[in-house]
Amino acid sequence: MNLPKRVLLIDDDEEELLILRAALNECCKNVELLQEKNGQALFARPDDDSHIIPDIIFLDWNMPLISGSAMLSGLRKLPEYHAVPVVIFTGSIDPAYRAEAQALGASYFIYKPFSITDLSNKLKELFSLDWRAFQSTGRLF
């Protein structure tokens, strides 16, 4: 399994952080989980934080301040985030949003809601892939 060392969750819902943390603890010990509650906070990070680049990003599509599509587009324009896999992590992505996300460079899709065990199993499957070789697969988990 190609476990990431550092996972970033960009989601305004604190409960989603708890769910992802529990699922990571169940499947993948020793993975550092970081959170930004919106894209604006990530883009406003001071330069001295720029060295903290995650190995993979989980991005909610429906967020306040900066939408998931604007966030994904902005991430793909930053050289340090260009090759970081981005998993769209949302409960309401219709086919048009999914096509848009894939066109903007999303790597994978995981739908909410789910149980912690279900998410843990999806993470195991996701991390069994060669996620370091970024390709927009459009694969749905």
Side-chain angles (χ1 to χ4, degrees):
M1 195 174 332
N2 295 315
L3 290 179
K5 293 180 178 154
R6 187 174 292 124
V7 171
L8 173 62
L9 172 64
I10 304 172
D11 195 320
D12 59 311
D13 186 348
E14 191 69 30
E15 190 172 314
E16 298 304 332
L17 176 69
L18 299 174
I19 291 169
L20 185 56
R21 178 172 284 128
L24 282 169
N25 284 336
E26 190 172 297
C27 82
C28 320
K29 302 282 186 213
N30 302 319
V31 174
E32 181 182 6
L33 179 58
L34 309 169
Q35 181 190 27
E36 291 293 349
K37 293 192 178 198
N38 61 64
Q40 190 174 33
L42 180 66
F43 290 136
R45 280 184 174 178
D47 288 341
D48 61 339
D49 279 352
S50 64
H51 67 281
I52 304 174
I53 304 299
D55 297 308
I56 193 165
I57 297 170
F58 287 79
L59 173 64
D60 186 14
W61 196 250
N62 298 308
M63 291 186 301
L65 302 177
I66 298 178
S67 69
S69 62
M71 184 72 218
L72 181 55
S73 179
L75 283 170
R76 291 298 179 226
K77 291 176 184 171
L78 297 172
E80 63 271 25
Y81 286 96
H82 181 74
V84 176
V86 176
V87 176
I88 303 301
F89 185 65
T90 190
S92 59
I93 190 163
D94 69 30
Y97 291 155
R98 185 164 175 225
E100 179 184 11
Q102 191 171 357
L104 290 171
S107 307
Y108 307 99
F109 302 86
I110 296 180
Y111 287 111
K112 304 177 210 174
F114 35 66
S115 70
I116 291 171
T117 299
D118 183 38
L119 179 57
S120 177
N121 290 333
K122 289 177 183 183
L123 292 174
K124 286 177 192 173
E125 184 179 351
L126 175 66
F127 297 150
S128 72
L129 302 173
D130 186 7
W131 52 268
R132 293 172 196 191
F134 169 73
Q135 290 283 328
S136 180
T137 65
R139 187 164 175 181
L140 174 65
F141 289 101

